Amino acid sequence: MARINGIFEVKLAPQSAAEGTESAQLGRMSIAKQFSGDLNAHSLGEILASRSATPGSAGYVAMERVTGTLFGKKGSFVLMHLGSMQSGASELKIQVVPDSGSEELIGLSGLMQIEIKEGQHFYTFDFSLPGS
């Protein structure tokens, strides 16, 4: 298992609800990220979220395809997010979708953590890649 750290920039854009799902009252956003460091890549994806009536409680799921280089190896992979917050206490799991790696990233597996400090986004990526 290898570990890398870096920074990323993120842009979120509200999207309208998928046709026929308006009454579900879910928030939908597109996501675009630019990763720097040993993961030199960009990503595109979507977020689906719900806030409860209790302040500080919500949940979201997201999928994003990351394309670029990881330790100089070219390819893409998909990250799957599962996040929840209950009365301000949050949990977040971000994992590589099994068998989503392409090109030189085939077989990639791993978990990513993110942290936001003073408006800057940081990532830690624990991963394994066959043959590395």
Side-chain angles (χ1 to χ4, degrees), residues 40-84:
N40 185 8
H42 68 276
S43 74
L44 296 172
E46 288 199 8
I47 297 172
L48 193 59
S50 175
R51 292 181 190 252
S52 74
T54 303
S57 294
Y60 90 95
V61 293
M63 300 290 273
E64 64 179 307
R65 179 169 303 280
V66 180
T67 304
T69 59
L70 174 62
F71 272 150
K73 294 185 182 262
K74 185 178 176 182
S76 69
F77 58 93
V78 177
L79 289 174
M80 177 174 55
H81 301 231
L82 175 61
S84 66

Side-chain angles (χ1 to χ4, degrees), residues 85-101:
M85 190 164 61
Q86 184 172 11
S87 300
S90 63
E91 275 187 48
L92 177 59
K93 181 178 183 181
I94 305 171
Q95 76 176 59
V96 175
V97 172
D99 298 319
S100 66

